[in-house]
């Protein structure tokens, strides 16, 4: 069973390396020194695999590394479970995989909800037509608007919603999706982990 603990430790180390690499890619002008090149060679093949999942790129934000990190976390949990319980159940693996995927999706939903709440506060403070002079913020606002109308359109009943109303509707829909999804995933993983 110590082999499973050792493998879990290796997965945890690789997770830390991937996380460090992700953070370093966010720093402009970091360059490619020896450490960054090493991390790129070690982590990029794994992290680039998840670029295929285009649905995880939302409003210009790339959440594919989060999926990679969550799957590494799930692998570590499975290996730790195998070392502790001395028995492995297939349902436990499936439950861990589903909960890891949900963790990524829930994190994305929470991030979007926070962006929409910030935009709603700006609307209440400065009015619906408040736009930024920054091209980056203008592009971000454009992407947020796509999300707002995507989630509020089914509840518009054919009418054109005011921006504020569409924003509030989208926030409510996303919060309900997150809560409902969390309840369903908790029930499902509880059932699966018994098999």
């Amino acid at each position: 069973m110590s082999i499973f603990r050792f493998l879990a430790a290796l997965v945890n180390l690789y997770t830390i390396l991937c996380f460090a690499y992700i953070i370093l890619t966010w720093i402009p002008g970091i360059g490619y020194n020896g450490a960054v090149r090493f991390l790129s060679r070690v982590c990029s093949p794994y992290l680039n695999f998840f670029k295929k999942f285009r649905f995880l790129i939302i409003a210009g934000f790339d959440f594919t590394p989060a999926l990679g990190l969550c799957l590494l976390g799930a692998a570590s949990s499975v290996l730790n479970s195998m070392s502790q319980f001395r028995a492995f159940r297939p349902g436990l693996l499936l439950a861990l995989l589903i909960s890891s995927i949900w963790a990524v999706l829930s994190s994305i939903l929470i991030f979007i909800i926070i962006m929409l709440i910030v935009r709603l506060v700006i609307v209440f403070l400065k009015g619906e037509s408040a736009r930024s002079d920054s091209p980056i913020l203008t592009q971000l606002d454009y992407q947020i608007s796509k999300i707002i109308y995507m989630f509020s359109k089914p509840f518009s009943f054919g009418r054109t919603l005011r921006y504020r109303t569409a924003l509030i509707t989208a926030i409510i829909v996303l919060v309900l999706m997150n809560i409902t999804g969390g309840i369903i995933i908790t029930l499902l993983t509880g059932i699966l982990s018994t098999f």
Side-chain angles (χ1 to χ4, degrees):
M1 290 302 133
S2 63
I3 184 84
F4 293 120
R5 275 194 292 267
F6 176 73
L7 291 173
L10 284 179
V11 170
N12 287 335
L13 175 64
Y14 189 69
T15 303
I16 292 168
L17 292 175
C18 287
F19 185 74
Y21 177 66
I22 291 166
I23 297 298
L24 288 173
T25 61
W26 294 347
I27 301 171
I30 188 101
Y32 274 97
N33 61 30
V36 175
R37 275 197 307 271
F38 169 76
L39 289 174
S40 178
R41 279 196 309 270
V42 170
C43 301
S44 288
Y46 174 73
L47 293 172
N48 287 340
F49 170 79
F50 297 99
K51 299 282 185 201
K52 298 174 189 174
F53 302 106
R54 306 296 290 164
F55 69 93
L56 289 174
I57 300 173
I58 300 170
F61 294 100
D62 184 2
F63 293 98
T64 58
L67 177 60
L69 292 176
C70 283
L71 290 179
L72 286 172
S76 176
S77 295
V78 168
L79 291 168
N80 279 322
S81 295
M82 291 173 74
S83 71
Q84 291 173 358
F85 298 115
R86 300 186 186 266
F88 179 71
R89 297 185 307 264
L92 180 62
L93 173 64
L94 191 55
L96 288 170
L97 182 64
I98 289 171
S99 64
S100 294
I101 292 171
W102 173 248
V104 172
L105 294 176
S106 179
S107 297
I108 292 169
L109 284 174
I110 291 169
F111 179 76
I112 293 171
I113 290 166
I114 290 169
M115 286 191 332
L116 296 182
I117 289 172
V118 167
R119 183 63 179 121
L120 182 62
V121 168
I122 293 170
V123 165
F124 277 120
L125 294 176
K126 295 188 175 184
E128 290 191 27
S129 62
R131 297 273 186 230
S132 172
D133 294 332
S134 166
I136 293 171
L137 293 177
T138 302
Q139 179 62 24
L140 179 62
D141 195 44
Y142 173 72
Q143 297 295 335
I144 288 173
S145 295
K146 287 181 183 180
I147 294 170
I148 291 167
Y149 286 108
M150 179 175 69
F151 285 103
S152 65
K153 187 175 181 178
F155 303 97
S156 67
F157 305 109
R159 297 176 297 133
T160 302
L161 296 177
R162 289 181 48 211
Y163 187 74
R164 182 181 302 181
T165 306
L167 189 53
I168 293 169
T169 304
I171 291 170
I172 292 169
V173 168
L174 289 170
V175 167
L176 291 175
M177 281 175 59
N178 198 31
I179 292 170
T180 305
I183 292 169
I184 291 169
I185 294 299
T186 301
L187 292 173
L188 183 61
T189 55
I191 292 168
L192 286 173
S193 62
T194 61
F195 292 111

